[in-house]
């Protein structure tokens, strides 16, 4: 499935060789970890499936914006093992979504996610199994971040531990009033392991990341905006006619970046992604390759024909 998505992305990029191809080849090995790292996908998948509960639900919409819901309300949307497997499958579906442009990641029942299911954590508390679970989640969250979709985490209620890490695997974060993002790992005698520390440094810088992890700081919407962890604050509206739900507000916020043809929006994400991940000379080559996929394309020709004035 992953290889299939990669082939599709390659075709969309005109089948051109170069750095984008190399980036995709790296992704084809499971993004970060593969067999050469001692990562046995099937083995860890089966271990995770022994801890069932909850689900990860995906709704792809005609607008080109999909909604991914972390759904395990009786445990504050904690990630069971089967939900980790579910998430990987949903990411594969999103990799194959040709018409996709944007993604909102939310939690069910007015809270985001309370991290790993502590019942599963207790049952696999030896370092070897812990690291296998980390590798699985790092692969999935890296693929989530690398989707050719512009993604936003809609944080309502609490995003704790692994839930806080999940928010960093999105391009943007919107915090509802009263919500909290907290890397509680230190209180659990841990550090982030799903890639959340590395991504947090990229988002807020190493000084802020050290403060947030070292102090297990509760980040409210105001602090989130101040340090750049949050990209906007949403106010819940009283249920009444004309009231706009938080999800609708998040979709409206995102739509300003997803307006336009899917290949163009996907190209935008690809050039930013390569700029974020690759050394400059490789990023420049990738940018040229991606440029070639939209130059002379339908959206470009239509824009040229309309004699635009960018006033
Ligand atoms: C690798 C580990 C690391 C990672 O993956 O990076 C982690 O994520 S470790 C997990 C970190 N998260 C936590 O430690 C959360 C612990 N829970 C809480 O702090 C509180 O439950 C809460 C989330 C702040 C909510 O508090 P409150 O509103 O008072 O509700 P309850 O406490 O009654 O919770 C309702 C219900 O949900 C269960 N719950 C909550 N979080 C988890 C969880 N992570 N795993 C399993 N179950 C969880 C909680 O136990 C309650 O269930 P019942 O006791 O059966 O009612």
């Amino acid at each position: 499935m992953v290889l299939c998505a990669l082939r599709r992305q390659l075709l969309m990029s005109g089948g051109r060789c170069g750095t984008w191809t190399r980036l995709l080849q790296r992704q084809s090995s499971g993004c970060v970890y593969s067999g050469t790292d001692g990562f046995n996908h099937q083995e860890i998948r089966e271990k995770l499936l022994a801890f069932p509960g909850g689900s990860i639900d995906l709704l792809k919409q005609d607008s080109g914006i999909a909604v991914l819901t972390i759904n395990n309300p009786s445990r504050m949307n904690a990630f069971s093992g089967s939900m980790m497997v579910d998430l990987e499958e949903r990411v594969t579906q999103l990799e194959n979504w040709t018409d996709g442009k944007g993604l909102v990641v939310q939690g069910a029942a007015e809270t985001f996610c309370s991290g790993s299911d502590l019942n599963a954590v207790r049952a696999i508390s030896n370092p070897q199994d812990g690291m296998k679970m980390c590798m699985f989640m790092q692969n999935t969250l890296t693929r989530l971040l690398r989707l050719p979709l512009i993604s936003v985490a809609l944080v309502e209620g609490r995003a704790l531990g692994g839930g806080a890490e999940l928010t960093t695997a999105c391009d943007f974060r919107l915090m509802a009033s009263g919500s909290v993002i907290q890397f509680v790992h230190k209180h659990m005698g841990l550090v982030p392991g799903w890639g959340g520390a590395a991504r947090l440094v990229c988002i807020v810088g190493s000084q802020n990341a050290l403060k947030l992890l070292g102090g297990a700081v509760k980040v409210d919407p105001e602090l989130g905006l101040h340090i750049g962890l949050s990209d906007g604050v949403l106010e819940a509206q009283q249920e009444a006619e004309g009231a706009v739900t938080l999800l609708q507000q998040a979709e409206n916020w995102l739509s300003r970046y997803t307006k336009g043809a899917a290949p163009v929006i996907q190209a935008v994400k690809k050039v930013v992604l390569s700029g974020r991940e690759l050394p400059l000379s490789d990023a420049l080559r990738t940018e040229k390759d991606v440029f070639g996929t939209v130059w002379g394309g339908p959206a470009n020709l239509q824009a040229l024909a309309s004699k635009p004035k960018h006033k």
Side-chain angles (χ1 to χ4, degrees):
M1 286 293 264
V2 178
L3 283 172
C4 175
L6 292 166
R7 259 196 300 278
R8 183 181 61 77
Q9 282 181 302
L10 263 178
L11 285 174
M12 283 169 55
S13 69
R16 290 170 177 80
C17 294
T19 47
W20 185 244
T21 312
R22 282 200 292 280
L23 176 65
L24 292 176
Q25 278 166 345
R26 197 147 50 86
Q27 287 176 322
S28 75
S29 66
C31 282
V32 185
Y33 303 107
S34 64
T36 51
D37 303 295
F39 179 70
N40 183 334
H41 178 265
Q42 198 51 33
E43 181 205 345
I44 179 68
R45 194 173 181 279
E46 276 161 24
K47 272 190 194 237
L48 291 171
L49 286 174
F51 301 99
S55 61
I56 306 290
D57 306 329
L58 177 62
L59 176 68
K60 289 188 213 158
Q61 306 180 111
D62 291 343
S63 62
I65 295 181
V67 180
L68 191 72
T69 304
I70 318 303
N71 192 354
N72 192 7
S74 65
R75 293 186 175 172
M76 308 297 278
N77 299 329
F79 260 90
S80 66
S82 64
M83 286 167 72
M84 294 180 192
V85 173
D86 247 20
L87 179 65
E88 189 199 36
E89 284 166 10
R90 302 292 163 262
V91 169
T92 302
Q93 288 168 0
L94 288 167
E95 285 169 340
N96 287 303
W97 191 27
T98 327
D99 300 328
K101 299 192 280 184
L103 174 69
V104 180
V105 179
Q106 66 165 5
E110 298 174 7
T111 194
F112 188 74
C113 169
S114 63
S116 297
D117 184 332
L118 290 171
N119 301 298
V121 169
R122 282 181 200 106
I124 57 163
S125 62
N126 66 81
Q128 285 72 28
D129 282 346
M131 284 195 288
K132 283 177 188 167
M133 184 266 284
C134 272
M135 289 197 269
F136 188 91
M137 285 303 282
Q138 280 191 16
N139 276 353
T140 303
L141 294 184
T142 305
R143 285 171 57 200
L144 177 67
L145 187 59
R146 285 178 178 165
L147 286 172
L149 307 172
I150 302 180
S151 57
V152 60
L154 164 55
V155 183
E156 198 181 357
R158 292 187 178 92
L160 304 181
E165 295 191 65
L166 172 60
T167 72
T168 64
C170 293
D171 298 309
F172 299 108
R173 283 142 295 280
L174 294 174
M175 294 181 73
S177 50
S179 66
V180 168
I181 299 177
Q182 188 179 12
F183 293 82
V184 295
H185 304 77
K186 194 183 85 164
H187 292 330
M188 303 295 296
L190 292 169
V191 291
W194 296 359
R199 290 187 298 268
L200 185 65
V201 169
C202 296
I203 296 166
V204 300
S206 61
Q207 298 295 103
N208 283 321
L210 200 51
K211 288 178 190 167
L212 296 192
L213 299 186
V217 175
K218 280 188 184 169
V219 181
D220 63 17
E222 194 188 355
L223 177 59
L225 272 183
H226 180 67
I227 61 176
L229 183 59
S230 166
D231 298 280
V233 181
L234 304 179
E235 295 288 339
Q237 296 180 7
Q238 296 281 0
E239 257 183 60
E241 210 184 324
V244 184
T245 64
L246 287 170
L247 177 58
Q248 284 165 341
Q249 290 183 47
E251 289 184 48
N252 291 344
W253 185 92
L254 186 56
S255 66
R256 76 188 82 166
Y257 304 114
T258 56
K259 218 166 274 162
V264 179
I265 307 306
Q266 295 188 3
V268 168
K269 173 70 184 274
K270 286 175 187 173
V271 292
V272 172
L273 181 66
S274 64
R276 193 158 64 194
E277 294 204 359
L278 298 174
L280 182 61
S281 54
D282 287 346
L284 291 173
R285 287 172 192 279
T286 302
E287 189 170 311
K288 176 260 299 169
D289 290 343
V290 176
F291 179 80
T293 69
V294 286
W295 176 264
N300 178 225
L301 294 180
Q302 201 180 356
L304 290 171
S306 71
K307 295 189 186 167
K309 284 188 195 296
H310 305 284
K311 285 187 171 172

